[in-house]
């Protein structure tokens, strides 16, 4: 209980902090007070945001919004940098600047007096993309200082939209006798940018551009399916969702709509993906009728490209636009459902595969080669670092910095040899070999290193064996590439631009493995998502939806597919969807399943209900609670989301994840927790209960189920003990000692008032295309209200516990 309340108090503190941030978001103070981590506090909290009436083409982005904490440079010489990307269509204009908020502190260690200001030398150099922006002799020691530094109109192009802001501090003091200088850069410092925009280039070779603009804020993409959609249409949506999740690091919001729902108001400021055949999807037929697509329809309704009919089962992928300033439309179609499936799957081709047909706004897909099954034979999988999401990078400066790259190993793999990592790197010739090294960590454990010696020019290679027993199966593994650099005589003000190491993205990771068989030990279930990935194409993942899914269930399915694609880093994605029924037995034998919806609406959940750690009364939403000695009688309309993961009854090396709840609201909470990057990281174990954004995750694999208590229910509702009724309650009682169990009547908590004052505006990370931020504001208000409710209830239960002794 203590650990739970500690987490609860931490959540309350985060909510309060968020409310303070939002409340101050519209302020534009000149000098901030240092954030947490500073030795002094006080004053107003300041953040950099665009003015409410900022015109398109003007934006301010804080280091905090670039996911950086406060930066600290320490004398006698030190450097640090912030790497970031800008939307690839931006063209920077004159008028940009960097607003720097900083503390300059001097600690005269071991001295009887502080040196005079005249004797101090504090040189700060600021570089933007290796171009010197400012070289400043700082004179004043103290906190809460500010500087405004003009920025050059550095080129921002589709081929080079990555940028670096680098800071170098040189104090000129002797290392051992003159004390230490700290230069603290507050992460509320911000970039002010003026920009214009290029027209999008309708070229599939650059996909997911131009559909994805590479904004920092999650981008909203509307997937439009026919009104009379089929499971094949939804399978194409799942494939597209996995592809978009993988190619954007899941920095997207997917909105699944039918053609009748896709009104101009509903899809305003979003890019569109139209899915289905022209015969079934009326919006695709309309684009053909207006002559806006690269292909045409003939009198028979067949698709024609370059005056030649497209084969019936070929997939057709097209990019189109009505006007240069309008949203881009991606059309995923074909004359048959098989063609639509091929079109969707082709968009997630491996980056290193030949892309002969992916040029311009049109691609015709003849076939997709299936991913080879390894079965019991050894296979070797090789991925470049680029395929794993790592980009060629150069690290500057004295000291230690690191970059990370992640890889996923399916739970049904068994490594047959130590994996091999080959790194290609280039060190500076001026590095001091005795104090410079490249070290590789696997899951925070060192596994190899080399001295950085630049005496020989050119590219070097480092081959590292990864201990097979330290590679996590069915989980994401993290490689940290840590670079420590030093140069000779660091106290004599060397040029830190000469201390650098470049790590290239053509390095390779090799994994030799076999797939498990029925005779091997079952997979380990650590969470509800990673056990579902045994093939990189997700081809054996089946989503079982109710016969008539709700909008939340459709969006939830697409969101889960996106996060699975992001985790797997796979290609040729082909997950499947079924409506109201389970797959055939022959298919089921190799299938992972994600069952979505309330039990009384989704009969497929009945296939595994008896195996679930938290089952339901057959065909109903009533929980048959097996956890703990307290039986909770849920009131009518009580909302609770439930996420459960088990070994598939038909195959111990396949998993079933059930995203369900006591009603539609509970299901939406469960789906949000699964598809949200921040929330899904809290879903440890095989059973989670969800109330709004509050999650109680349990691992019942190695624990006595009867000893587990449901924390999330008594912490969010009022309790009324009715022990006299215990003997009469049988449908929700645990299997043992039913009469002795305590029965608790739960009362739905009072709703949070809806007239709370609205906080200040959230920062529009990028204008004018940061769609979906209005929903984010609403979510933030709900989070604040929920936090206040949790705080009040926490005090209530603490008081009860105190009175009880």
């Amino acid at each position: 209980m203590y650990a739970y309340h500690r987490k609860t108090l931490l959540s309350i503190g985060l909510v309060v902090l968020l409310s303070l941030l939002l409340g101050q978001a519209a302020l534009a103070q000149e000098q901030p007070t240092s954030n947490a981590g500073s030795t002094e506090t006080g004053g107003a909290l300041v953040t950099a945001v665009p003015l409410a009436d900022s015109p398109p083409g003007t934006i301010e982005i804080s280091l905090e919004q670039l996911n950086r904490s406060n930066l600290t440079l320490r004398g006698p010489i030190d450097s640090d940098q912030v790497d970031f990307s800008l939307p690839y269509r931006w063209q920077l204009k004159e008028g940009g600047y960097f607003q720097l908020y900083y503390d300059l502190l001097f600690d005269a260690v071991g001295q009887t007096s502080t040196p005079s200001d005249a004797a101090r030398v504090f040189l700060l150099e600021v570089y933007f993309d290796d171009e010197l922006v400012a070289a400043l002799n700082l004179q004043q020691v103290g906190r809460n200082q500010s500087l405004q530094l003009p920025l050059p109109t550095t080129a921002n192009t589709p081929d080079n939209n990555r940028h670096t802001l680098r800071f170098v501090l040189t104090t000129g003091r002797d290392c051992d006798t003159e004390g230490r200088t700290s230069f603290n850069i507050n992460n509320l410092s911000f970039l002010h940018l003026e920009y214009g925009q290029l027209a999008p280039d309708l070229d599939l070779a650059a996909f997911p551009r131009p559909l994805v603009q590479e904004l920092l804020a999650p981008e909203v993409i509307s997937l439009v399916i026919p009104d009379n959609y089929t499971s094949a249409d939804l399978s194409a949506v799942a494939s597209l969702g996995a592809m978009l999740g993988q190619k954007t690091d899941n920095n997207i919001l997917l909105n699944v709509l039918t053609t009748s729902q896709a009104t101009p108001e509903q899809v305003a400021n979003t890019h569109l993906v139209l899915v289905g055949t022209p015969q079934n999807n009326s919006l695709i037929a309309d684009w053909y009728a207006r002559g806006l697509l690269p292909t045409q329809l003939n009198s028979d309704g067949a698709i024609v490209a370059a005056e030649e009919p497209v084969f019936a089962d070929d997939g057709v992928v097209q990019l189109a636009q009505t006007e240069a300033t309008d949203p881009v439309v991606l059309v995923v179609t074909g004359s048959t459902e098989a063609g639509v499936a091929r079109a969707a799957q082709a968009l997630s081709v491996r980056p290193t595969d030949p892309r002969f047909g992916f040029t311009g706004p049109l691609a015709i897909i003849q076939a997709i080669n299936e991913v080879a099954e390894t079965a019991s034979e050894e296979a070797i999988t090789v991925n470049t670092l680029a395929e794993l999401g790592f980009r060629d990078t150069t690290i500057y400066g004295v000291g230690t910095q690191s970059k990370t790259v992640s890889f996923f190993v399916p739970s049904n793999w068994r490594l047959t040899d130590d994996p091999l990592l080959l790194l290609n790197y280039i060190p500076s010739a001026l590095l001091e070999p005795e104090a410079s090294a490249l070290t590789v960590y696997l899951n925070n454990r060192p596994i190899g290193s080399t001295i950085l010696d630049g005496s020989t020019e050119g590219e070097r290679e480092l081959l590292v064996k990864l201990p097979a027993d330290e590679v996590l199966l069915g989980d994401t593994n993290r490689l940290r590439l840590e670079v420590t650099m030093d140069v000779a005589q660091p106290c004599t003000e060397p040029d830190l631009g000469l201390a650098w190491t470049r790590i290239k993205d053509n390095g390779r990771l090799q994994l030799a493995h076999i797939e498990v068989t029925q005779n091997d030990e079952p997979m380990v279930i650590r969470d509800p998502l990673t056990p579902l990935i045994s093939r990189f194409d997700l081809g054996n993942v089946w989503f079982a939806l109710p016969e008539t899914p709700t909008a939340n269930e459709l969006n939830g399915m697409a969101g889960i597919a996106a996060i699975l694609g992001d985790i797997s880093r796979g290609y040729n994605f082909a997950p499947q969807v079924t409506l109201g029924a389970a797959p055939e037995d022959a298919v089921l034998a190799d299938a992972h399943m994600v069952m979505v919806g309330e039990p009384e609406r989704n009969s497929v959940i009945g296939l595994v209900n008896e195996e679930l750690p938290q089952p339901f009364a057959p065909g109903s939403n009533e929980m048959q609670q097996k956890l703990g000695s307290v039986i909770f009688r849920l009131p009518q309309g009580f909302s609770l989301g439930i996420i459960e993961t088990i070994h598939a009854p038909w195959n111990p090396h396949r998993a079933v994840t059930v995203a369900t709840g006591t009603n539609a609201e509970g299901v939406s909470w469960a789906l949000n927790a699964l598809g949200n990057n921040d929330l899904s990281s809290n879903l440890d174990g095989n059973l989670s209960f969800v109330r709004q954004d509050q999650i109680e995750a349990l691992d019942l694999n190695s624990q006595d189920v009867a000893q587990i208590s449901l924390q999330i229910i008594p912490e969010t509702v009022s309790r009324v003990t009715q022990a006299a009724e215990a003997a009469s309650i049988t449908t929700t009682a645990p299997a043992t000692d039913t009469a002795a169990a305590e029965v608790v009547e739960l009362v739905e908590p009072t709703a949070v008032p809806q007239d709370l004052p609205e906080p200040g505006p959230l920062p529009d990370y990028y204008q004018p295309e940061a769609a979906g931020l209005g929903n984010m504001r609403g979510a933030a208000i709900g989070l604040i209200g929920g936090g206040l409710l949790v705080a009040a209830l926490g005090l209530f239960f603490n008081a009860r516990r105190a009175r009880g002794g």
Side-chain angles (χ1 to χ4, degrees):
M1 286 292 290
Y2 171 76
Y4 179 78
H5 286 298
R6 183 174 58 187
K7 292 180 180 179
T8 302
L9 291 174
L10 178 59
S11 299
I12 295 169
L14 291 174
V15 169
V16 173
L17 178 59
L18 178 60
S19 65
L20 289 173
L21 283 169
L22 293 174
Q24 297 292 332
L27 297 180
Q29 307 286 346
E30 293 183 359
Q31 295 183 353
T33 300
S34 298
N35 278 3
S38 172
T39 56
E40 293 183 3
T41 59
L45 187 63
V46 179
T47 186
V49 299
L51 299 177
D53 57 351
S54 293
T58 302
I59 195 65
E60 291 172 353
I61 314 163
S62 71
L63 300 187
E64 182 181 38
Q65 292 165 352
L66 295 173
N67 298 318
R68 287 303 304 261
S69 56
N70 294 345
L71 282 63
T72 298
L73 309 180
R74 302 186 185 280
I77 189 165
D78 200 359
S79 69
D80 203 346
Q81 66 186 47
V82 178
D83 299 313
F84 60 96
S85 298
L86 295 176
Y88 73 94
R89 290 168 49 202
W90 281 15
Q91 287 186 309
L92 298 183
K93 298 180 178 180
E94 296 284 350
Y97 59 85
F98 178 64
Q99 182 66 50
L100 173 64
Y101 297 133
Y102 68 94
D103 304 328
L104 180 60
L105 307 177
F106 183 80
D107 179 14
V109 177
Q111 297 189 57
T112 57
S113 62
T114 301
S116 65
D117 289 344
R120 294 186 181 129
V121 177
F122 302 128
L123 175 64
L124 175 69
E125 295 177 312
V126 182
Y127 295 84
F128 188 65
D129 291 345
D130 295 330
E131 182 175 345
L132 183 64
V133 171
L136 306 169
N137 284 312
L138 305 177
Q139 298 293 329
Q140 182 177 351
V141 173
R143 298 184 183 276
N144 299 333
Q145 302 186 63
S146 65
L147 285 170
Q148 190 175 105
L149 309 175
L151 294 177
T153 54
T154 302
N156 184 72
T157 67
D159 295 329
N160 184 23
N161 65 326
R162 298 175 62 211
H163 303 281
T164 299
L165 192 62
R166 184 157 54 96
F167 307 93
V168 180
L169 176 71
T170 307
T171 66
R173 315 301 296 178
D174 183 84
C175 292
D176 301 319
T177 62
E178 296 293 343
R180 299 283 287 178
T181 303
S182 295
F183 186 83
N184 303 323
I185 302 174
N186 195 294
N187 67 352
L188 300 179
S189 303
F190 63 91
L191 291 160
H192 174 98
L193 301 175
E194 306 278 347
Y195 65 93
Q197 293 198 78
L198 296 171
D201 185 9
L202 302 184
D203 186 1
L204 287 167
F207 198 80
R209 298 173 177 175
L211 186 70
V212 174
Q213 302 296 300
E214 300 179 14
L215 309 182
L216 284 187
E219 301 183 53
V220 180
I221 298 176
S222 294
L223 302 158
V224 183
I225 55 179
D227 283 333
N228 58 337
Y229 59 82
T230 65
S231 58
D233 294 318
L234 295 183
S235 295
V237 167
S239 177
L240 292 167
M243 175 272 297
L244 290 167
Q246 190 259 20
K247 291 183 179 295
T248 66
D249 297 326
N250 203 29
N251 192 36
I252 50 170
L253 297 173
L254 299 178
N255 188 24
V256 182
L257 301 169
T258 62
T259 52
S260 60
Q261 293 170 336
T263 63
E265 296 77 18
Q266 185 68 31
V267 299
N269 299 319
T270 72
H271 291 292
L272 294 179
V273 181
L274 308 183
V275 181
T277 65
Q279 293 76 22
N280 289 338
N281 191 314
S282 59
L283 284 186
I284 296 178
D286 179 64
W287 277 72
Y288 271 118
R290 291 190 287 162
L292 297 174
L293 298 179
T295 62
Q296 300 81 40
L297 295 180
N298 64 16
S299 58
D300 297 328
I303 300 174
V304 175
E307 300 183 356
E308 291 292 332
V310 173
F311 286 94
D313 288 341
D314 282 358
V316 181
V317 182
Q318 305 171 83
L319 285 171
Q321 211 177 11
T322 53
E323 301 290 342
T325 57
D326 288 345
V328 172
V329 174
L330 173 70
V331 180
V332 180
T333 189
S335 297
T336 63
E337 289 183 342
V340 174
R342 286 175 178 169
Q345 194 176 1
L347 287 166
S348 56
V349 294
R350 196 168 180 168
T352 53
D353 285 351
R355 301 174 72 108
F356 304 120
F358 271 77
T359 55
L362 171 66
I364 307 296
I365 314 302
Q366 177 182 350
I368 302 291
N369 290 327
E370 295 294 328
V371 177
E373 295 286 349
T374 60
S376 59
E377 298 180 2
E378 183 181 61
I380 296 178
T381 299
V382 179
N383 290 104
T384 67
L385 295 188
E387 291 172 345
L388 297 175
F390 182 84
R391 292 184 176 182
D392 191 306
T393 186
T394 302
I395 299 173
Y396 290 93
V398 169
T400 299
Q401 301 179 58
S402 63
K403 300 293 180 181
T404 60
V405 58
S406 300
F407 65 96
F408 181 82
V409 180
S411 58
N412 64 322
W413 281 15
R414 296 296 179 266
L415 300 180
T416 56
D417 201 353
D418 288 337
L420 297 177
L421 173 67
L422 178 66
L423 289 178
N424 297 318
Y425 67 97
I426 306 172
S428 166
L430 297 183
L431 295 181
E432 183 67 35
E434 295 181 358
S436 302
L438 169 60
T439 305
V440 180
Y441 292 79
L442 172 64
N443 299 323
N444 292 323
R445 294 182 177 182
I447 57 172
S449 64
T450 186
I451 293 173
L452 293 176
D453 182 0
S455 58
T456 302
E457 294 184 358
E459 184 175 312
R460 315 291 178 78
E461 290 185 348
L462 171 62
L463 183 64
V464 180
K465 281 190 174 183
L466 281 60
D469 59 349
E470 295 183 14
V471 175
L472 303 176
L473 301 179
D475 207 344
T476 297
N477 295 266
R478 288 176 173 81
L479 293 168
R480 188 169 85 247
L481 313 179
E482 188 173 275
V483 175
T484 299
M485 294 182 289
D486 202 355
V487 293
Q489 298 179 321
C491 298
T492 58
E493 303 182 21
D495 182 354
L496 288 192
L498 301 178
W500 55 265
T501 299
R502 179 183 174 191
I503 303 176
K504 303 186 67 176
D505 59 10
N506 61 350
R508 298 183 296 280
L509 175 67
Q510 175 178 300
L511 300 171
H513 63 278
I514 60 172
E515 287 193 10
V516 298
T517 66
Q518 290 278 2
N519 298 324
D520 291 308
E521 289 293 322
M523 73 175 78
V524 176
I525 293 178
R526 296 186 179 91
D527 62 79
L529 292 169
T530 56
L532 300 168
I533 306 172
S534 60
R535 290 176 51 167
F536 284 115
D537 67 350
L538 306 180
N540 58 352
V541 175
W542 283 77
F543 290 89
L545 304 182
E547 188 171 357
T548 55
T550 65
N552 280 335
E553 289 162 349
L554 291 175
N555 290 336
M557 177 272 293
I560 295 172
I563 203 168
L564 290 176
D566 184 34
I567 293 171
S568 73
R569 311 303 299 178
Y571 45 89
N572 291 1
F573 291 120
Q576 302 294 313
V577 177
T578 179
L579 294 170
E584 297 179 357
D585 290 344
V587 174
L588 194 63
D590 186 50
H592 301 277
M593 291 201 71
V594 182
M595 302 177 181
V596 174
E598 303 161 66
E600 66 181 13
R601 293 184 58 248
N602 191 341
S603 60
V604 180
I605 296 177
L607 293 178
V608 298
N609 184 59
E610 294 302 317
E611 308 292 332
L612 296 176
Q614 174 50 71
F616 293 81
S620 79
N621 296 346
E622 182 182 354
M623 293 167 51
Q624 287 186 323
Q625 184 188 321
K626 292 183 178 180
L627 303 181
S629 59
V630 177
I631 303 170
F632 296 97
R633 178 184 294 150
L634 303 182
Q636 187 71 25
F638 180 81
S639 299
L640 185 66
I642 304 171
I643 302 169
E644 311 183 58
T645 303
I646 60 172
H647 297 99
W650 49 84
N651 187 335
H653 300 295
R654 299 295 179 261
V656 175
T657 290
V658 180
T660 186
T662 57
N663 54 27
E665 184 177 45
V667 172
S668 69
W669 291 342
L671 292 171
N672 181 52
L674 279 170
N676 182 294
N677 282 336
D678 295 331
L679 295 179
S680 63
S681 62
N682 298 318
L683 299 174
D684 298 323
N686 60 346
L687 174 63
S688 294
F689 296 97
V690 187
R691 288 278 296 173
Q692 297 178 343
D693 289 340
Q694 303 298 311
I695 295 173
E696 180 183 356
L698 305 173
D699 184 358
L700 306 183
N701 293 297
S702 59
Q703 300 187 49
D704 183 357
V705 173
Q707 300 303 314
I708 302 295
S709 62
L710 276 70
Q711 309 270 7
I712 202 166
I713 294 180
E715 290 296 337
T716 55
V717 296
S718 301
R719 299 180 55 182
V720 180
T721 303
Q722 296 180 331
E725 298 182 13
S728 64
I729 305 299
T730 57
T731 59
T732 61
T736 59
D737 199 14
T738 302
E742 177 188 2
V743 179
V744 177
E745 182 80 15
L746 300 179
V747 180
E748 184 73 10
T750 303
V752 178
Q754 298 301 309
D755 57 351
L756 293 175
E758 185 172 344
L762 283 173
D764 289 335
Y765 294 156
Y766 289 112
Q767 293 180 350
E769 294 180 303
L773 290 181
N775 292 335
M776 293 170 62
R777 178 184 300 178
I781 298 171
L783 180 61
I784 296 170
L788 296 175
L789 176 62
V790 171
L793 291 169
L795 294 174
F796 170 75
F797 285 110
N798 285 337
R800 282 178 58 92
R801 187 174 294 106
R803 289 198 299 269

